[in-house]
């Protein structure tokens, strides 16, 4: 039983603010500066909002002050196009709310989408694969104007896959900062694979936050932060859990 207690007390890494909030609540820590709101939609999708408003709360949570919105969709990993459309609509609503909250004019934005991660490593390839499937419009609009995309209002979308330091010898934020200075987007949206505490959240959860991101933090490989302070423009980060600690698998097996 001693090893079971050791596993349960092991500090498992997580990139999800929702899980950090659950840990604090489980430990009965009454901490000011953390607000939590949870809404269950009729389609079974749960939208949770964790807001960190004080430095003390940020230290306890192990993440910067800001808003962390989590969409939990238990059936997201299944092949159900109608369900995926509902998740997409919920995701779009949350993303637009965050953009509006930054005081940015929603239409005809310059948006740089950055796919973080290593495309050669399956659980870390989410960001690059998302950028591969984007409808990139910046070059078309620069050459032919906004009506070339067949819509009256079109955002200028550009994409970047900076790779990882082992491939480039550069911090991701250095590459992104150079592109931001050259192309002058209004907002940066990063997409990355996350680490979770619960195996049930793998591939079934989306976290959207207005605080930026520290690449590699979920697996203990902290890099320089990608945020408004480092880039000079608002950064919205999107992530989906694709990895868990081995201790998580053991812990889940023990508790079932």
């Amino acid at each position: 039983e001693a090893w079971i207690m050791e596993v349960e007390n092991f500090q498992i890494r997580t990139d999800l603010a929702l899980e950090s909030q659950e840990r604090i609540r489980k430990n009965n820590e009454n901490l000011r500066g953390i607000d939590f709101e949870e809404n269950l939609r009729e389609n079974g999708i749960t939208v949770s909002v964790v807001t960190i408003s004080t430095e003390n709360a940020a230290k306890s949570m192990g993440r910067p002050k800001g808003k962390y919105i989590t969409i939990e969709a238990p059936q997201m990993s299944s092949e159900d196009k109608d369900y995926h459309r509902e998740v997409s609509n919920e995701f779009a609503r949350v993303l637009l709310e965050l953009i509006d909250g930054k005081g940015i004019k929603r239409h005809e934005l310059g948006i740089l989408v950055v796919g973080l991660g290593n495309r050669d490593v399956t659980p870390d390839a989410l960001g690059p694969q998302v950028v591969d499937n984007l409808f990139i419009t910046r070059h078309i609009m620069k050459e032919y104007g906004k009506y070339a995309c067949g819509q009256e209002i079109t955002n200028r979308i550009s994409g970047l896959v900076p790779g990882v330091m082992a491939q480039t010898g550069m911090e991701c934020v250095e590459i992104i900062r150079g592109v931001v200075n050259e192309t002058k987007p209004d907002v940066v949206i990063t997409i990355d694979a996350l680490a979770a505490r619960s195996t049930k959240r793998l591939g079934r959860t989306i976290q959207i936050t207005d605080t930026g991101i520290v690449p590699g933090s979920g697996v203990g490989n902290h890099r320089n932060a990608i945020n408004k302070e480092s880039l000079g423009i608002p950064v919205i980060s999107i992530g989906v859990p694709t990895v868990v600690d081995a201790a998580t698998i053991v812990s889940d097996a023990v508790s079932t």
Side-chain angles (χ1 to χ4, degrees):
E1 293 184 0
W3 70 271
I4 294 177
M5 293 177 62
E6 187 174 342
V7 167
E8 290 177 341
N9 294 328
F10 184 80
Q11 188 62 46
I12 300 172
R13 300 186 187 98
T14 178
D15 287 317
L16 297 177
L18 175 63
E19 292 185 330
S20 296
Q21 182 273 149
E22 289 173 343
R23 172 182 56 80
I24 289 175
R25 187 171 55 182
K26 182 179 179 181
N27 295 336
N28 294 319
E29 299 178 27
N30 295 320
L31 189 63
R32 294 182 179 179
I34 300 177
D35 294 320
F36 176 67
E37 180 183 346
E38 184 177 77
N39 294 294
L40 178 62
R41 305 290 193 246
E42 292 181 358
N43 51 20
I45 298 172
T46 302
V47 180
S48 306
V49 182
V50 176
T51 305
I52 305 173
S53 56
T54 67
E55 291 294 343
N56 188 39
K59 184 177 180 180
S60 297
M61 290 280 284
R63 59 197 74 243
K65 292 191 297 182
K67 181 178 289 186
Y68 300 81
I69 303 172
T70 306
I71 300 173
E72 294 182 272
Q75 304 304 317
M76 194 164 71
S77 58
S78 63
E79 296 291 336
D80 187 336
K81 292 183 178 180
D82 291 335
Y83 187 80
H84 288 181
R85 189 176 299 108
E86 293 179 356
V87 175
S88 298
N89 290 337
E90 196 66 49
F91 169 76
R93 182 189 65 79
V94 169
L95 182 58
L96 289 174
E97 282 184 1
L98 279 183
I99 291 176
D100 290 343
K102 292 299 181 182
I104 306 170
K105 184 176 68 171
R106 181 185 296 185
H107 299 303
E108 299 186 23
L109 285 172
I111 301 173
L112 172 61
V113 182
V114 180
L116 299 171
N118 187 343
R119 67 167 69 249
D120 296 326
V121 179
T122 300
D124 199 32
L126 174 69
Q129 288 187 7
V130 169
V131 172
D132 288 347
N133 287 277
L134 285 178
F135 178 35
I136 302 297
T137 61
R138 181 177 180 271
H139 60 304
I140 300 174
M141 295 177 68
K142 282 191 67 177
E143 186 73 22
Y144 303 108
K146 63 182 181 181
Y147 296 105
C149 296
Q151 299 179 20
E152 185 174 348
I153 298 175
T154 306
N155 293 318
R156 300 182 305 279
I157 308 296
S158 54
L160 175 66
V161 179
V164 294
M165 181 176 279
Q167 297 170 321
T168 66
M170 295 176 282
E171 289 277 2
C172 287
V173 70
E174 294 176 320
I175 299 172
I176 299 168
R177 189 187 297 122
V179 174
V180 166
N181 291 339
E182 185 68 25
T183 63
K184 303 293 190 298
D186 298 302
V187 62
V188 168
I189 297 178
T190 68
I191 301 168
D192 198 10
L194 305 181
R197 287 178 61 94
S198 171
T199 54
K200 294 180 180 179
R201 290 195 165 106
L202 289 178
R204 301 179 180 92
T205 303
I206 306 171
Q207 177 175 271
I208 310 112
T209 177
D210 61 359
T211 64
I213 190 171
V214 179
S217 59
V219 291
N221 183 28
H222 295 260
R223 310 312 317 169
N224 289 342
I226 301 168
N227 52 30
K228 186 174 182 179
E229 287 69 32
S230 62
L231 298 181
I233 60 174
V235 177
I236 294 174
S237 295
I238 300 165
V240 175
T242 60
V243 296
V244 294
D245 266 320
T248 293
I249 300 173
V250 175
S251 179
D252 286 354
V254 167
S255 61
T256 55

